Amino acid sequence: MHVLKFGGTSVGSVENITKVIQILEDYKKSQPVICVVSAVGGITDKLLKAGHLAQTKDESYLSEYKTIKDIHLNILSRLIPNVDKAVSDKLNTKLDNLKSLLDGIYLINELSPKTSDKLVSFGELLSSYIITETMKSKGIDVVRKNTQELIITNDNFTKAEVNYNTTYKNIQEYFSNATQSATILPGFVSKSQQGEITTLGRGGSDFTAALVASALEVDTLEIWTDVSGMYTANPKLVKQAYPIKKLSYQEAMELSHFGAKVLYPPTVQPVLDKNIPIVIKNTMEPDADGTYIAHEQTNNLTVRGISNINDISLLTLEGSGMVGIPGFSKRLFEVLANHKINVVFITQASSEHSICFGVNKADANQAKEKIDQAFEYEITQHKINPIVIETDLSIVALIGDNMKSHQGISGKMFSTLGKNNINVRAIAQGASEKNISAVISEHDVKKALNTLHEVFFEVKTKQLNVFITGVGNVGERLVEQIKQQKKYLKDNLKINLRVIGLSNSRQMVFDEDGISLKNWKAVLSTGETASLEGFFKTAKALNLRNSIFVDVTANKDVANLYANYLKESIAVVACNKIACSDTFDKYNQLKYLSRKYNAPFLFETNVGAGLPVIDTLNNLIASGDKVTSIQAVLSGSLNFVFNNFNDTTKFHDVVKQAQAEGYTEPDPRIDLSGVDVARKILILARESGTVMELEDITNDSFLTKANLESNSVDDFYKTLIDDEAHFQKLFAQANEKGSKLKYVAEFNEGKAKVGLKEIPQGHPFYNLEGKDNIVMFYTQRYKEQPMIIKGAGAGADVTASGLFADIIRIGND
């Protein structure tokens, strides 16, 4: 005998009912099949809504009833196009009976639990009738048996308790004499010993199927739904989640309790007692394996699933008067039990100073009211405090039978949450160690589930979610490099790099699933109006794990937002030097926020573009070395200019060429004034441990007064033409000595300066070609021969690669 149960989504449409019937036809070829069906998807809620409207004298209950009627008549007419009049008349009679019940509720404006059971029972009774008549129209040997004649309960309406002996006897007697190949049973419904209609409560159709399977001691119980089994996490929130092939009964019950709606926990008990396996199958994909649930240990995996419960409120009973006094817990939970308030989470401090427990948020205010009343004396005596409620919370749980035999699971769980700035409000772990639960903000649930799933279930692939502001010259190259290397990163470094947000000065665009980089320019062109604050708010609202904000601008307003990103545990990668060369207090604050919120703040490209200058310096300091002096050529643009300027060229033309090739900022005055180089040596001085401000750096400018006082870029270029003789003189003086002009930055004994220098032959700077940079670190370990870093220090490609390297560095942490 096959026992199958189909849920509301499985019988929620003509198409799905057709699939159900096909499955039943296939099964009955080998053995008789028993099919338990739920109400058509959404009907139970509509019945309750109609009942509540009628109870409150709201005549719109008639509209709700009409919707229910139309749904069922439409399904019948489409399943059986030429339906027999007797069949449709009988369905209409059932619907008329429903209408009469609703009218009665309206007249007496009362909806008791007893009446509520009569009302909601119509859902299963209607769906089972339609499915049975459809199967008959196809020539299938099928009988509909009303389970109200089989399942006998007490009169605890809305959640009746089953009389197992009588129920099992009824089921066994009926099916011992049944000859049909298929039997349709309405789930959820039952009758009391006095003959009153009752229901089995939430998940009652699962329970009906389990009772039938247990009474008949079948080989397996199959629960058919709209997903292919129980998943490692909620697939609607975690796209990488996948079906679990095998689970123990205990694991399945834990997962079901914590939000996996595929299986209702009490369902397990009747079949668990008889050691009957449960198989969760997908009506839409009947050939999928599904999940097999049984007694035996399934395998050696530790964490089997991650689940969650939303809409939780956390209540805390606290006070010094609780310490060492027995009976507080008893009194507390008696109050809750007497008012039928279910507790889903409990934890107590070992000091006995507080008890913390979680309830559904709908029960929170009533719980507080009743507990405060019960402990009124202790509260007035200041022995304990009134109950404190925290709302908008969720419980996230790791579940697995084998967690108890593996050390470090809890540590791994909480460190993972902490790294993503997910604050844990309370923790509970049973002695069996099959469940580790944490209460977190409901806002963080998606991030928490994805973060934990990545750590415990995915093949060490780390997802990075990148938000890029500034997709001009450098930014465009960065996006193209990400596009080119995306597959390599995933295959070789196990990094899944996704660009979630893009912005230029005009438009911005976001895609939570990752922007397609094949045509990203076209996607960006259709985006919304750009806003720095809007970009930040969206990145914050998406609340994705391992989020990284990348600043590819030279904009002060963008730099001023770094603190906001870091406070949300969003890492910051920047080639913009403004933040790190601002006041020391602001620089230091960003470093502090990075540590506090575990959000990396990387700015390698601030100095030397793609050269590992800052990283090398940090490694020297971290290893205990101390920088005594730094000498460097830090401007690729200025090095390009002076390498290409001579007595046969014009200074104006060389600067123009440098700007055209992307070696200078859009405003070349930033480079030529020495401010850019001063910022770079300031950053290196600070990274070496020196407290220094930008104004502390001596800047010996080679520009003329007219150059420095120019009002615009165009005006600046005009002054360069006017002052050509000045620049030719600088070149001639150096050339006469056999020297070359280099713009040099120096840091020594806590002081720094920048300026144009004549570099003689034999000096490491002399042969520095093109746009190259060079940095020489003199340290306690490198006293005589400095550590030298040399290479291209400007250009869109190398700067983009430096940004890319910082992103990858975060991924490898």
Side-chain angles (χ1 to χ4, degrees):
M1 190 81 73
H2 295 297
V3 177
L4 290 74
K5 177 262 175 178
F6 289 89
T9 52
S10 295
V11 296
S13 68
V14 170
E15 292 75 18
N16 288 355
I17 292 174
T18 301
K19 291 176 181 177
V20 168
I21 293 173
Q22 182 59 57
I23 292 168
L24 296 177
E25 283 194 275
D26 292 340
Y27 269 68
K28 74 179 182 63
K29 292 175 183 176
S30 58
Q31 296 181 43
V33 61
I34 301 170
C35 173
V36 177
V37 296
S38 296
V40 170
I43 289 297
T44 301
D45 288 339
K46 290 183 181 298
L47 287 166
L48 286 170
K49 182 180 178 182
H52 287 300
L53 289 171
Q55 179 192 19
T56 57
K57 291 289 187 178
D58 187 335
E59 292 188 1
S60 59
Y61 81 91
L62 293 170
S63 176
E64 200 67 33
Y65 164 73
K66 186 176 185 306
T67 300
I68 295 168
K69 179 178 180 179
D70 290 346
I71 288 172
H72 288 92
L73 291 176
N74 179 58
I75 289 175
L76 180 65
S77 64
R78 290 180 60 196
L79 284 170
I80 313 175
N82 299 310
V83 62
D84 186 272
K85 186 175 183 299
V87 173
S88 61
D89 285 349
K90 190 169 183 180
L91 178 61
N92 275 298
T93 298
K94 293 178 183 293
L95 290 166
D96 289 343
N97 291 338
L98 170 60
K99 169 71 163 43
S100 297
L101 179 59
L102 288 169
D103 290 342
I105 295 169
Y106 178 82
L107 288 172
I108 64 173
N109 61 285
E110 182 181 340
L111 182 60
S112 66
K114 180 177 178 180
T115 305
S116 179
D117 272 359
K118 289 179 182 177
L119 178 64
V120 295
S121 69
F122 275 92
E124 275 72 11
L125 296 174
L126 289 168
S127 65
S128 59
Y129 175 75
I130 291 172
I131 292 170
T132 302
E133 294 304 320
T134 302
M135 293 177 70
K136 286 180 179 178
S137 72
K138 295 178 180 293
I140 299 172
D141 178 22
V142 61
V143 171
R144 173 181 175 271
K145 178 64 176 176
N146 191 340
T147 42
Q148 292 169 330
E149 299 169 9
L150 301 176
I151 299 176
I152 305 303
T153 70
N154 64 8
D155 58 1
N156 185 17
F157 298 104
T158 74
K159 193 175 181 181
E161 296 171 12
V162 174
N163 182 322
Y164 284 91
N165 289 334
T166 304
T167 297
Y168 281 3
K169 182 181 178 182
N170 290 343
I171 294 170
Q172 290 163 355
E173 286 182 354
Y174 174 77
F175 284 102
S176 66
N177 297 314
T179 59
Q180 65 270 17
S181 62
T183 305
I184 304 298
L185 300 177
F188 181 57
V189 296
S190 50
K191 276 189 180 179
S192 71
Q193 292 171 332
Q194 291 74 35
E196 297 287 353
I197 293 173
T198 58
T199 60
L200 301 179
R202 186 173 67 88
S205 292
D206 285 1
F207 199 12
T208 302
L211 290 168
V212 173
S214 178
L216 300 178
E217 298 187 6
V218 298
D219 293 334
T220 59
L221 166 61
E222 297 189 9
I223 306 291
W224 289 74
T225 181
D226 58 348
V227 290
S228 299
M230 300 187 80
Y231 277 65
T232 49
N234 184 343
K236 293 179 181 178
L237 298 177
V238 182
K239 293 194 174 180
Q240 291 76 27
Y242 54 87
I244 307 168
K245 290 189 175 180
K246 291 185 178 181
L247 285 171
S248 70
Y249 287 124
Q250 290 74 21
E251 288 169 335
M253 284 192 289
E254 290 281 1
L255 282 169
S256 297
H257 175 70
F258 279 89
K261 305 299 184 186
V262 176
L263 185 69
Y264 180 54
T267 299
V268 177
Q269 197 59 50
V271 292
L272 186 150
D273 292 340
K274 299 287 183 69
N275 198 19
I276 298 170
I278 301 172
V279 181
I280 310 295
K281 299 279 284 180
N282 188 348
T283 306
M284 320 311 160
E285 297 180 31
D287 294 330
D289 290 337
T291 299
Y292 183 86
I293 302 167
H295 262 306
E296 67 268 16
Q297 292 291 326
T298 51
N299 51 43
N300 293 322
L301 292 177
T302 51
V303 178
R304 304 291 290 131
I306 308 167
S307 203
N308 67 287
I309 308 176
N310 293 334
D311 298 326
I312 295 296
S313 290
L314 200 62
L315 282 69
T316 302
L317 183 67
E318 184 177 21
S320 57
M322 295 169 56
V323 180
I325 306 299
F328 266 93
S329 297
K330 175 179 180 292
R331 289 172 62 194
L332 169 65
F333 294 113
E334 272 186 350
V335 171
L336 296 171
N338 290 339
H339 292 88
K340 297 183 179 180
I341 297 172
N342 186 41
V343 176
V344 296
F345 179 99
I346 304 171
T347 183
Q348 181 173 11
S350 59
S351 65
E352 300 181 43
H353 186 261
S354 66
I355 301 174
C356 183
F357 58 97
V359 301
N360 187 286
K361 73 175 183 180
D363 296 326
N365 290 328
Q366 184 190 11
K368 173 179 170 56
E369 178 187 346
K370 300 303 180 184
I371 294 168
D372 285 348
Q373 287 176 3
F375 289 93
E376 183 177 6
Y377 174 76
E378 287 84 356
I379 292 172
T380 57
Q381 295 298 308
H382 303 290
K383 292 182 178 181
I384 64 171
N385 302 324
I387 283 282
V388 175
I389 302 177
E390 295 176 69
T391 58
D392 301 321
L393 300 174
S394 293
I395 299 174
V396 172
L398 293 188
I399 291 157
D401 284 344
N402 294 327
M403 294 197 307
K404 61 185 177 184
S405 57
H406 287 76
Q407 296 179 341
I409 300 296
S410 297
K412 194 174 182 179
M413 175 184 182
F414 295 117
S415 66
T416 298
L417 295 175
K419 285 179 181 178
N420 278 274
N421 196 32
I422 298 169
N423 186 37
V424 176
R425 290 292 306 114
I427 299 167
Q429 179 174 6
S432 66
E433 297 186 45
K434 292 179 180 180
N435 178 314
I436 306 172
S437 300
V439 179
I440 64 172
S441 168
E442 198 166 298
H443 174 68
D444 288 327
V445 166
K446 185 175 182 179
K447 182 197 281 188
L449 292 176
N450 278 275
T451 300
L452 293 171
H453 194 273
E454 184 176 79
V455 168
F456 287 102
F457 289 101
E458 296 171 34
V459 190
K460 295 183 179 179
T461 298
K462 188 173 185 178
Q463 185 182 101
L464 301 182
N465 296 296
V466 177
F467 300 81
I468 303 173
T469 291
V471 284
N473 195 17
V474 176
E476 179 179 342
R477 305 297 176 86
L478 173 61
V479 175
E480 290 298 327
Q481 287 178 16
I482 292 173
K483 174 183 171 183
Q484 175 187 320
Q485 291 299 106
K486 187 173 176 66
K487 186 176 186 301
Y488 174 86
L489 293 177
K490 195 164 188 179
D491 292 346
N492 295 277
L493 300 184
K494 304 303 178 187
I495 293 174
N496 179 20
L497 181 54
R498 310 189 311 162
V499 177
I500 305 299
L502 284 173
S503 179
N504 55 27
S505 59
R506 301 175 305 280
Q507 292 164 303
M508 62 184 185
V509 67
F510 302 91
D511 188 333
E512 187 175 355
D513 297 324
I515 296 168
S516 172
L517 300 185
K518 292 181 180 178
N519 58 342
W520 65 269
K521 289 184 180 179
V523 173
L524 180 57
S525 68
T526 64
E528 60 188 291
T529 302
S531 159
L532 297 181
E533 188 64 29
F535 197 82
F536 162 69
K537 286 182 177 178
T538 301
K540 175 184 174 181
L542 287 173
N543 200 26
L544 300 174
R545 68 194 187 279
N546 306 321
S547 291
I548 304 172
F549 171 67
V550 184
D551 178 11
V552 201
T553 74
N555 188 308
K556 185 173 183 178
D557 291 334
V558 178
N560 286 339
L561 286 172
Y562 291 177
N564 293 359
Y565 283 98
L566 294 173
K567 287 176 183 177
E568 297 300 327
S569 288
I570 298 174
V572 174
V573 170
C575 64
N576 186 346
K577 292 176 281 291
I578 292 174
C580 289
S581 59
D582 206 331
T583 65
F584 183 82
D585 286 345
K586 288 186 178 180
Y587 159 84
N588 204 38
Q589 176 70 1
L590 293 177
K591 289 278 192 172
Y592 166 75
L593 292 175
S594 173
R595 294 189 299 271
K596 179 178 179 180
Y597 294 99
N598 198 38
F601 174 38
L602 302 180
F603 43 90
E604 183 66 75
T605 50
N606 276 198
V607 181
L611 296 177
V613 177
I614 294 175
D615 188 50
T616 300
L617 174 57
N618 289 337
N619 288 337
L620 287 171
I621 301 300
S623 69
D625 205 352
K626 184 176 181 181
V627 173
T628 56
S629 175
I630 302 172
Q631 295 182 31
V633 174
L634 294 173
S635 174
S637 54
L638 283 171
N639 200 44
F640 177 89
V641 167
F642 286 110
N643 278 335
N644 288 278
F645 174 60
N646 53 49
D647 54 5
T648 65
T649 62
K650 291 184 178 181
F651 193 74
H652 165 277
D653 296 343
V654 175
V655 175
K656 272 282 189 183
Q657 181 186 354
Q659 184 184 26
E661 295 188 22
Y663 299 142
T664 73
E665 300 288 349
D667 184 348
R669 290 175 295 179
I670 297 173
D671 297 279
L672 272 65
S673 67
V675 172
D676 189 60
V677 176
R679 285 174 175 160
K680 292 176 180 178
I681 194 65
L682 173 66
I683 292 168
L684 292 182
R686 287 175 171 177
E687 288 294 292
S688 68
T690 301
V691 177
M692 182 179 286
E693 303 291 353
L694 187 60
E695 54 265 28
D696 297 333
I697 299 172
T698 302
N699 186 347
D700 296 327
S701 178
F702 66 90
L703 295 176
T704 67
K705 183 179 180 182
N707 301 152
L708 293 171
E709 293 178 352
S710 57
N711 296 320
S712 66
V713 174
D714 289 341
D715 186 31
F716 175 68
Y717 275 118
K718 289 177 184 177
T719 65
L720 293 185
I721 295 172
D722 295 340
D723 294 337
E724 178 64 24
H726 166 74
F727 301 112
Q728 287 294 339
K729 182 180 179 182
L730 293 175
F731 173 77
Q733 288 174 346
N735 195 45
E736 285 176 9
K737 300 173 187 175
S739 299
K740 290 184 177 180
L741 293 172
K742 302 291 179 185
Y743 200 86
V744 177
E746 298 175 276
F747 170 72
N748 190 35
E749 296 182 355
K751 296 182 179 180
K753 63 180 180 178
V754 297
L756 194 64
K757 283 199 164 189
E758 297 173 352
I759 304 298
Q761 291 188 25
H763 192 282
F765 294 173
Y766 184 82
N767 291 316
L768 197 64
E769 300 296 334
K771 58 185 181 297
D772 285 0
N773 281 191
I774 185 170
V775 181
M776 300 194 302
F777 289 120
Y778 288 90
T779 72
Q780 290 178 342
R781 294 175 189 159
Y782 294 87
K783 295 179 181 178
E784 298 177 1
Q785 295 296 324
M787 176 178 283
I788 298 176
I789 301 167
K790 179 180 177 183
D797 282 324
V798 293
T799 304
S801 69
L803 291 166
F804 201 176
D806 274 348
I807 293 170
I808 295 170
R809 189 174 289 115
I810 293 171
N812 286 330
D813 281 350

